[in-house]
Amino acid sequence: MATHHHHDDRGPELTDAARAALEQAGEQWTPMRASVFEALAGFEKPASAYDIAEAVSKAVGRRVAANSVYRILDLFVGANLARRVESANAYVANTHPNCLHDCIFLVCDRCGDARHVDADKVTSMVRAVAAEAGFVAQRPIVEVRGLCPECAASAA
């Protein structure tokens, strides 16, 4: 589906790429933003702001409010460091923050996993339909609910 392939960063490489992308966007990489990003990147599945606040609170040894985490996550989404899984009200770290694509999320109803696939062809069609209606689509969001390969195999 994607027109090119990505090297998905992990661990310190991902944090370095995220820091560079945020600073390139004119924002500061503060200790709290670093803590939120590291917590987000540590989740295997989409995480809510409350999940992330709890993880950051444990890491820094003091309570961190979910409202503060929401503000940082909004910044991260705007800077392409994270993506929001709308139907789950949760977030995932973008493993290639230097590359901007529209994507679709494949969300598993059984295990909660959400995988993203770059899908510029699909979202360009969504943008075209919106344009025909006189609407300017800023950020098309496409999510497909169902079963991931692992859950589908175990259900068979």
Side-chain angles (χ1 to χ4, degrees):
M1 233 179 258
T3 57
H4 66 280
H5 298 285
H6 298 284
H7 167 72
D8 286 344
D9 291 320
R10 301 278 181 222
E13 288 179 346
L14 177 57
T15 301
D16 291 345
R19 178 187 310 117
L22 190 64
E23 290 173 347
Q24 186 175 8
E27 297 288 344
Q28 293 181 350
W29 186 259
T30 66
M32 181 56 72
R33 290 174 181 176
S35 294
V36 169
F37 188 80
E38 288 171 16
L40 173 63
F43 283 94
E44 292 291 319
K45 296 180 181 176
S48 72
Y50 293 95
D51 296 332
I52 296 164
E54 184 177 321
V56 172
S57 295
K58 287 179 183 175
V60 300
R62 63 176 173 80
R63 184 182 174 284
V64 173
N67 287 346
S68 298
V69 171
Y70 270 118
R71 283 191 293 276
I72 293 170
L73 290 169
D74 285 345
L75 173 69
F76 286 174
V77 169
N80 199 40
L81 307 185
R83 297 182 184 266
R84 185 166 187 261
V85 182
E86 299 286 337
S87 64
N89 193 24
Y91 300 82
V92 294
N94 183 357
T95 57
H96 43 88
N98 294 315
C99 191
L100 185 60
H101 283 283
D102 291 331
C103 71
I104 62 173
F105 275 105
L106 308 175
V107 183
C108 183
D109 288 328
R110 181 174 288 168
C111 72
D113 189 32
R115 299 173 189 183
H116 93 272
V117 178
D118 290 337
D120 292 325
K121 285 183 182 180
V122 172
T123 55
S124 68
M125 291 172 54
V126 171
R127 289 176 189 275
V129 169
E132 287 175 15
F135 188 82
V136 178
Q138 298 292 325
R139 187 176 53 106
I141 298 167
V142 179
E143 296 182 16
V144 179
R145 305 287 308 208
L147 297 177
C148 69
E150 294 80 11
C151 290
S154 70

